[in-house]
Structures are given as C-alpha cells and as structure tokens.
Amino acid sequence: MTDSPDSQQSLNIKSKQIIHITLQLLALAFLLSWCFNILAPFLTPIMWAAILAVTLYPMHQKLKRKLNGKGVLAAVLITAMIFILFFLIGGWLGVRTGTEIKATIISYQEGRLKIPQPPESVKQWPVVGDKVFTFWSQTTTGADSIIQKYPEQVRSFATTGIELLATTGKGLFVFAISILISGIFLAYAEQSAAFARTVFNRLINSTKFDMASIAAITIRNVVRGILGVSIIQSVCAGLGFVVAGIPYAGIWTLLCLILAIIQIGIFPIVLGVLIYIWTTDHTTTAILLTIYMIPVGLLDNILKPLMMGKGAPVPMLIIFLGSLGGFIYSGFIGLFTGAVILSLGYRLFDVWLKESEL
C-alpha cells in the first residue's frame, strides 16, 4: 500500500520545516557563540560589576532620595567613595610592603641581613624537625647555596610567586574596572533591574517564587556577610600589624583576607604574628597587639549575624568551595566571584527543588 500524494506532500513540507528550523538554530548558536567570544574578555568585570551594583542598590536608593531623585549623582558619589577607599587602603599597604621588601633585598645583598642559626630544639619537632633544622641551617650560609642545591625547587617557587603576584595585580585591575562599570549600572538602576528581572523570568519561569528577588537577596547576603565582613576584619588586623611595626604587613593582611573569605579565618596569620612579636622582646607592643587582636578575631562572629540577617543563605561548605574553586579558575578575583556565583547557583537550585515538591 503506497502513500497518497497529499500525505507525501505533507511529509515533504514537514521535512523542509525541520531542515529550516535546524538551520535557524545552527545560525543562532553560531551567532551566540561569536558574541560570547567577543564579550569573553569583559565577562569577569561585568559579572563582578553586576554583583557590586546589586549589593549597593539599597544604598544608592537611600542616597538618591536624599539628593531629590538625582540617581546619576548618587551613583557617581558611591563609585567615587569606593574608588577612594580601594586606592587609599590597597595602595598604602601595597607601597609600604613593597618598600619593605625592597629594603630587605638591599640589606641581604649588602650582607647586613643575617639569619640566625636554628636552636637544637628544632630537631625535636615531630615529623618535620630534622628537615626544618637542615633547611634553616642552609639558609644561614646564604641564598646561593640553597639555589645550587635545590635549583628546580627554587625556580618553581619563584615562578609560582611571580604568577601569583601577576594574578593578584590583574585581579585588582579588573576590580577597579568593575567598580566603574557598577557605577554605570547604578546610574541606570531601574533599567538594569527591569532587564535582569526579564532575563530571570525568561530563563526560570517560576510561578511560586520570585527568582530575581531571591538572587538579589542571596548576592547581598553573601557579599555583605561573607566578603564584607572578611574585608573589614582583615583591614582591622592589617591596621594592627602596621601600628605594631610588623614587617610585610600588606602581605599578612592579604593572607588574612584570603583565609577569611574561604572561611578558615584569620587565626593562623594572627597566631604567627603574635608569636613573632612576643619573641622579639617588644613586650609592651606584644601585650597591646594581643589585646587588640582578641576583639578583631571575634569580629566576624559579631558582624555576620548583623549583616546577613537570619542565618547564612547557603552552607559554609558552598562558600569555601566557591572561593577556592574561583581562585583556581580565575585567580584572585575568583575568591570573590566564585563564592557569590556558587552561592547563587546553590540557592536557585534549592528553591527550584522546593518548588517541584509543592
């Protein structure tokens, strides 16, 4: 039994429609891929700018009302304030630490920097005692002997250090660009919010939850409660290091910031600094720094509940994995964006699961 001419013609029409739709989808995929590759260099600063804009939006609205509805002026003032804080604190610590490193290198080259011999008690340290004693003893004879004995390790360590500095510098530059872009987003806050809400509604057509509002709340909670508290705590610790005269205060402050973001806390760095200050015969300074660091160490326990509201929006493990994975994926700036993006993804996924159960 053969198909009728009408059914054969209908089949041909459907085949042509399928081919036509397939070609359209391929063309659309090619266009989207092309657009993505063009915008790829700007995705990180735009993403971070969007995070900043969402976080600063409530402040922008309050300032806008005080300025009689001048939204652009409010955005300019907020952007300028963040730039000033960013460059004053970061620049000051960076210049101070750079000067100290340069002075240390010059002192070592001129033979004025001497590393003391390790005490015999170091050998009694469990597991690593002998190795630490041997390496410490070798450092007292100068860097040349270490380089000659461990050339590959020294080269690898130096390369890693240079790459880390380059990544950090790039991250700070991207952050500066992001501040500028976030100011533009804030200047057009209503249009940006409407666009974001439209995108969320198109991507996640939820009838029971406002996904755009959930995303905004999650971003604000994570930025204020995790990143904001980490920055405040690290800056307070850094000021204590500087006043106490701790060498390389900028580096220790940066390490405090990293450990605070990934939820380990500043305790390991603070403990090392306190051990140093107590062993350098500055008793008064050591006592004052120890007293100062006690409330600084507890600062996150006080500020997090105040800035995050009712509990953390996501488990601490998500924050840790997001920060660590973000750092591995995109360097220093990934410490911030990784925690926010993974938290947002987790929160939206959690809401989607709850919606399916209703």
Side-chain angles (χ1 to χ4, degrees):
M1 183 176 180
T2 59
D3 295 334
S4 63
D6 291 339
S7 62
Q8 186 67 35
Q9 184 178 6
S10 176
L11 183 61
N12 290 336
I13 293 174
K14 289 182 179 179
S15 299
K16 290 180 180 179
Q17 289 177 339
I18 292 173
I19 294 173
H20 182 67
I21 293 173
T22 302
L23 291 175
Q24 286 180 323
L25 291 175
L26 288 174
L28 179 62
F30 175 75
L31 179 61
L32 291 175
S33 175
W34 200 352
C35 292
F36 177 81
N37 290 330
I38 292 173
L39 292 175
F42 309 100
L43 286 180
T44 298
I46 290 175
M47 185 184 305
W48 187 227
I51 292 171
L52 283 175
V54 170
T55 305
L56 297 172
Y57 179 75
M59 181 191 299
H60 174 265
Q61 292 301 297
K62 292 179 181 178
L63 185 58
K64 178 181 176 181
R65 286 193 293 270
K66 292 183 178 180
L67 295 174
N68 299 321
K70 296 179 180 179
V72 175
L73 179 58
V76 171
L77 291 176
I78 291 175
T79 304
M81 179 187 67
I82 296 176
F83 259 121
I84 291 172
L85 291 175
F86 176 69
F87 282 109
L88 277 181
I89 297 175
W92 177 53
L93 287 174
V95 170
R96 180 185 176 89
T97 302
T99 303
E100 290 177 343
I101 293 175
K102 182 179 178 180
T104 302
I105 294 174
I106 293 175
S107 298
Y108 180 81
Q109 291 174 342
E110 294 177 353
R112 292 186 284 110
L113 182 64
K114 299 295 183 180
I115 300 176
Q117 289 287 341
E120 291 294 327
S121 59
V122 174
K123 293 182 179 180
Q124 307 302 321
W125 292 1
V127 184
V128 297
D130 291 334
K131 292 182 179 179
V132 171
F133 183 87
T134 302
F135 182 77
W136 190 341
S137 300
Q138 290 171 347
T139 60
T140 61
T141 61
D144 294 338
S145 60
I146 299 176
I147 295 174
Q148 292 175 0
K149 190 166 185 177
Y150 307 102
E152 294 299 326
Q153 291 85 341
V154 171
R155 187 181 298 110
S156 176
F157 178 79
T159 302
T160 303
I162 293 172
E163 290 177 352
L164 182 60
L165 288 175
T167 302
T168 303
K170 179 183 176 182
L172 295 176
F173 175 75
V174 169
F175 184 68
I177 297 297
S178 301
I179 294 174
L180 182 62
I181 299 175
S182 69
I184 298 174
F185 286 162
L186 288 174
Y188 298 94
E190 285 74 18
Q191 297 91 324
S192 301
F195 174 76
R197 190 173 296 277
T198 301
V199 170
F200 266 96
N201 289 337
R202 293 289 292 177
L203 292 177
I204 309 174
N205 189 20
S206 175
T207 58
K208 298 181 179 66
F209 296 98
D210 186 354
M211 291 297 191
S213 297
I214 291 174
I217 292 172
T218 301
I219 289 173
R220 287 178 191 137
N221 282 345
V222 172
V223 172
R224 290 183 304 187
I226 303 299
L227 306 185
V229 171
S230 299
I231 292 172
I232 293 172
Q233 190 179 31
S234 301
V235 170
C236 290
L239 290 176
F241 297 160
V242 171
V243 173
I246 303 299
Y248 317 123
I251 294 177
W252 307 129
T253 303
L254 179 62
L255 291 176
C256 282
L257 176 62
I258 294 173
L259 293 181
I261 290 175
I262 63 177
Q263 303 304 293
I264 292 177
I266 66 173
F267 177 76
I269 304 299
V270 171
L271 179 61
V273 169
L274 291 178
I275 291 174
Y276 166 80
I277 197 71
W278 277 100
T279 55
T280 53
D281 296 329
H282 296 90
T283 307
T284 304
T285 305
I287 293 173
L288 293 175
L289 184 62
T290 303
I291 294 173
Y292 173 77
M293 283 301 168
I294 292 174
V296 170
L298 300 174
L299 200 58
D300 58 335
N301 297 321
I302 300 172
L303 291 180
K304 279 182 181 179
L306 296 176
M307 301 182 73
M308 295 181 70
K310 296 179 181 180
V314 295
M316 289 297 106
L317 179 61
I318 299 297
I319 304 294
F320 174 79
L321 293 177
S323 301
L324 198 59
F327 178 74
I328 295 172
Y329 177 72
S330 55
F332 180 76
I333 198 70
L335 279 170
F336 302 89
T337 55
V340 176
I341 296 302
L342 191 62
S343 299
L344 177 59
Y346 172 86
R347 185 73 178 115
L348 294 178
F349 180 71
D350 181 56
V351 170
W352 176 75
L353 286 179
K354 291 178 180 177
E355 182 182 30
S356 62
E357 293 175 357
L358 296 177

